[in-house]
Amino acid sequence: MTNAYKATVNIVPSERQLNLKTHKFGAFVYFGMNTFTAADIGSGFTSPKTFGPEDFSAENIVSAVKSSGMTSLVLTVKHYDGFCLWPSRQTDYTIAESNWMDGGGDIVKAISDECARQGIAFGIYFPVWDKHEESYGSGEQYDNFVKGQLAELLTDYGDIFMVWLDHTAGKGNNGKIQSSFDWNGYYKLIRLLQPNAIIAGHGPDARDVGNHRGVCRTSEWSVVPKSLGPDENGLIHFGDTMKLDLGSRKAIKREKEFIWYPAVALVPMRPNWFYRSEDDVVVKTKDKIIKLYYNSVGANTALYLGVAVDKRGRIPSVDSQILKNLGKDLKLMFGYNLADSAEFSASSSLSELYSPERIKLQNGFWRPAEGDKKPELIIKLSEPDMFDKIVISENIANGQHVEKFRVYYKNEKNKWKLFYKGTVIGSERICTSKPVKSDEIKLVFEQYRDFFEIFSVAIN
């Protein structure tokens, strides 16, 4: 193992980054002035009186998200036009100037409170581009404006699970462009007010996978070169994160420093992020979303689905039904585990504390002996059964190490047949195949970095 590989071995996630595994499937809820103007990027001139949901229901929105199996909700508290869904004290371009609830409403509070009631983690999407704000382009004055709004959001709305910072920045209505932002200052403020929050998008805790298609790379590494994260000014150079290979041996051979920087894949349910009535007939189907789930969550990447709120202030009925059916199917497909009652054995174990049977324990995991160059994990079911999915997770608390593995099943002739071959595992790898019937499965780990630990194996 070269020095580059050695440097990756002991890179581990922070507690807040580990929390992303818990919330591997979540929603980005899009609601704002664009909902009523059908604009991709609002002008910043539209009157606050234009914002007027007829039948807003936080319960409807959060329940629809929860019904899908998603465990977190990130709300677009404002967009590039600058209109705020909370009564910000930093600007007059807010919900307080609308006619909705006679200016006494607060969408952010309603959603955050409902998330707390239903057990859904709440986060905020916050863009640094504000076309309406007069101080935009002024440098420090505008940075202080941003910090003022972040401080409101991070102190008045309970626990914040994620702060997604959008780095997009164009021209303001004053004709100015903000050429740089105090990213480190934003990070410091978030850490101070919400120390457990994941700072994602343009942030140090999690990165945008690089597209809005809801899929990740074939081999998506959470351990990547330090240069992909924020530089000394907190700035992230997004051009580098678009590469097709970020963490393989070939990609990192000249690198010296590494960070834990997991990927998040974003994709809207509709062609547009915000609601448009003409999109009602082109919403992504349940089956399409499940395929995206396999290609993101099932490949070491969190998936956040863009969910649009309509002009009523509710999830459109077609979207709501798709989300409900999605949740039912995911529960059917992954809600049972044939391995729960199976016997686990292995070619070796580092010690009794790392025996394969410990995989069945809540916080246990298997680690092969150091001299085992091609470790095998064997799972013996109580009787032959049908399955088409095997879900494997590394113990990422101690890093990501598996580079190449294969899965076999024993057929009716007592011969090992290939079920799946893959590369990285990380947080989760969903191995799929046509349905097979067997009572014995074998995982062979062909290449890894120094050591690895298997946290869980589910057979569905």
Side-chain angles (χ1 to χ4, degrees):
M1 183 178 290
T2 67
N3 289 335
Y5 306 141
K6 289 180 180 178
T8 67
V9 170
N10 296 318
I11 302 298
V12 298
S14 65
E15 285 297 321
R16 68 179 70 87
Q17 288 173 318
L18 275 175
N19 202 26
L20 188 61
K21 177 178 172 63
T22 304
H23 300 294
K24 61 191 179 183
F25 186 34
F28 264 48
V29 171
Y30 280 79
F31 191 40
M33 189 63 76
N34 291 352
T35 306
F36 298 90
T37 62
D40 292 323
I41 299 178
S43 68
F45 288 121
T46 306
S47 169
K49 308 300 183 186
T50 306
F51 182 86
E54 303 165 357
D55 190 23
F56 173 77
S57 172
E59 191 278 334
N60 168 272
I61 295 168
V62 178
S63 292
V65 168
K66 186 174 183 178
S67 72
S68 69
M70 293 186 275
T71 61
S72 56
L73 184 158
V74 178
L75 177 66
T76 54
V77 297
K78 63 182 283 192
H79 206 246
Y80 306 140
D81 60 300
F83 182 75
C84 302
L85 293 185
W86 81 101
S88 175
R89 298 179 291 277
Q90 312 299 316
T91 178
D92 61 358
Y93 200 47
T94 80
I95 200 169
E97 299 301 315
S98 73
N99 291 330
W100 183 64
M101 294 187 67
D102 295 323
D106 188 336
I107 297 291
V108 179
K109 180 170 177 52
I111 296 292
S112 63
D113 285 352
E114 187 62 27
C115 281
R117 190 183 74 81
Q118 294 200 36
I120 297 295
F122 176 70
I124 61 171
Y125 158 95
F126 189 95
V128 295
W129 182 20
D130 189 319
K131 297 176 69 174
H132 180 85
E133 174 55 32
E134 292 182 359
S135 67
Y136 181 76
S138 64
E140 184 177 357
Q141 183 183 356
Y142 182 71
D143 282 325
N144 289 335
F145 167 79
V146 170
K147 292 172 188 176
Q149 289 201 323
L150 283 173
E152 292 173 354
L153 292 163
L154 300 174
T155 55
D156 297 344
Y157 298 97
D159 290 335
I160 304 295
F161 150 72
M162 176 185 287
V163 178
W164 186 279
L165 296 175
D166 187 337
H167 72 291
T168 303
K171 186 181 291 186
N173 287 340
N174 57 12
K176 297 180 180 179
I177 293 177
Q178 183 93 357
S179 59
S180 63
F181 299 87
D182 184 13
W183 294 109
N184 283 331
Y186 304 161
Y187 303 156
K188 183 178 180 181
L189 179 66
I190 297 168
R191 291 282 191 254
L192 175 67
L193 299 177
Q194 294 281 345
N196 296 322
I198 297 169
I199 308 175
H202 195 110
D205 295 328
R207 58 186 164 85
D208 189 329
V209 76
N211 62 67
H212 288 161
R213 299 195 303 273
V215 297
C216 63
R217 296 161 182 82
T218 302
S219 300
E220 192 68 69
W221 282 90
S222 295
V223 180
V224 297
K226 186 179 180 181
S227 58
L228 295 180
D231 64 17
E232 65 275 9
N233 296 313
L235 179 65
I236 296 170
H237 303 279
F238 272 81
D240 293 338
T241 66
M242 305 301 174
K243 294 177 180 178
L244 292 177
D245 182 5
L246 300 180
S248 73
R249 296 191 180 209
K250 181 180 179 181
I252 67 171
K253 64 182 179 180
R254 291 184 176 87
E255 301 288 341
K256 295 181 179 180
E257 294 184 280
F258 298 88
I259 56 174
W260 188 274
Y261 206 30
V264 180
L266 308 180
V267 63
M269 285 185 69
R270 293 163 166 255
N272 297 285
W273 294 98
F274 286 92
Y275 177 79
R276 293 185 184 180
S277 58
E278 61 265 30
D279 291 343
D280 287 347
V281 294
V282 282
V283 185
K284 285 183 175 63
T285 64
K286 166 184 63 75
D287 291 343
K288 173 66 174 177
I289 298 172
I290 289 174
K291 184 177 180 180
L292 292 174
Y293 183 94
Y294 281 12
N295 292 328
S296 53
V297 173
N300 192 42
T301 300
L303 174 63
Y304 275 71
L305 193 63
V307 179
V309 177
D310 64 22
K311 292 182 179 180
R312 299 173 303 161
R314 291 172 174 260
I315 303 299
S317 58
V318 61
D319 306 55
S320 183
Q321 191 60 50
I322 289 170
L323 291 172
K324 186 176 181 179
N325 291 338
L326 171 66
K328 288 180 178 178
D329 272 22
L330 288 176
K331 190 173 183 178
L332 284 172
M333 290 187 291
F334 298 101
Y336 69 100
N337 181 9
L338 296 175
D340 282 343
S341 58
E343 294 182 2
F344 283 70
S345 60
S347 56
S348 70
S349 298
L350 184 63
S351 72
E352 280 297 315
L353 292 175
Y354 302 97
S355 70
E357 278 291 321
R358 294 185 65 83
I359 291 175
K360 293 193 290 185
L361 302 179
Q362 186 173 0
N363 293 309
F365 50 87
W366 166 64
R367 178 171 170 174
E370 292 181 359
D372 196 343
K373 301 301 182 182
K374 203 171 182 180
E376 295 183 0
L377 178 67
I378 298 172
I379 305 162
K380 178 71 173 177
L381 305 181
S382 55
E383 60 182 6
D385 212 328
M386 298 288 295
F387 57 89
D388 62 1
K389 296 176 294 297
I390 297 177
V391 186
I392 313 169
S393 295
E394 285 187 71
N395 180 36
I396 61 169
N398 284 339
Q400 181 185 2
H401 301 99
V402 175
E403 295 176 298
K404 190 184 297 184
F405 71 99
R406 293 184 184 231
V407 181
Y408 298 88
Y409 70 96
K410 192 166 282 187
N411 67 7
E412 66 279 359
K413 297 181 180 180
N414 209 35
K415 301 286 187 180
W416 288 114
K417 301 289 290 184
L418 181 67
F419 180 86
Y420 183 90
K421 63 178 180 179
T423 56
V424 303
I425 295 176
S427 179
E428 185 172 315
R429 172 63 71 175
I430 301 176
C431 309
T432 59
S433 175
K434 64 180 181 181
V436 300
K437 187 174 185 179
S438 179
D439 64 352
E440 196 166 355
I441 298 94
K442 178 171 67 174
L443 281 61
V444 181
F445 299 90
E446 299 177 323
Q447 188 171 299
Y448 55 95
R449 297 177 181 178
D450 197 33
F451 72 93
F452 67 90
E453 297 171 346
I454 299 300
F455 183 76
S456 65
V457 179
I459 301 172
N460 309 118

